[in-house]
Amino acid sequence: MSVSGHFFPQGLNIELDKIAEPWRTVTKLTGMYHPYGQIFFGMRLPLLAQRRKASAAIGKIQSWRPQRIVLSHGRCFDADADKVVRRIFGAPGTK
């Protein structure tokens, strides 16, 4: 995932109408579909295991005040990226 030229853990925002079963159902179960894209669930474990480092990194990402998020997999977030970052990672200092 890229925010204004910066990269952070892989996010997915898959368009369900563009994939076939069984992947459509799997994607729905993970919550990584448009318009509710999420960080890849495999990346959540390191964030939980290293909370202090993760909190610092998330704070830095939020300080960028992103306007859009460019994804390599799925639909990009062309507006309100700061709200997307808060939804995925929480408000500053809460995680």
Side-chain angles (χ1 to χ4, degrees), residues 42-58:
M43 291 302 297
R44 290 188 184 275
L45 295 175
L47 292 176
L48 292 171
Q50 298 182 27
R51 288 179 189 243
R52 192 173 304 160
K53 287 181 181 180
S55 180
I58 292 165

Side-chain angles (χ1 to χ4, degrees), residues 27-95:
T27 302
K28 281 183 181 181
L29 292 172
T30 65
M32 297 184 290
Y33 59 93
H34 176 74
Y36 311 107
Q38 294 287 326
I39 188 171
F40 178 65
F41 58 86
M43 291 302 297
R44 290 188 184 275
L45 295 175
L47 292 176
L48 292 171
Q50 298 182 27
R51 288 179 189 243
R52 192 173 304 160
K53 287 181 181 180
S55 180
I58 292 165
K60 184 172 185 170
I61 291 167
Q62 291 169 329
S63 76
W64 296 333
R65 301 164 101 184
Q67 295 176 355
R68 65 179 176 241
I69 298 173
V70 178
L71 299 170
S72 59
H73 301 289
R75 192 174 202 172
C76 298
F77 293 97
D78 293 323
D80 299 324
D82 56 334
K83 292 177 185 173
V84 173
V85 171
R86 277 195 308 274
R87 178 176 53 81
I88 292 171
F89 295 113
T94 62
K95 290 193 176 189

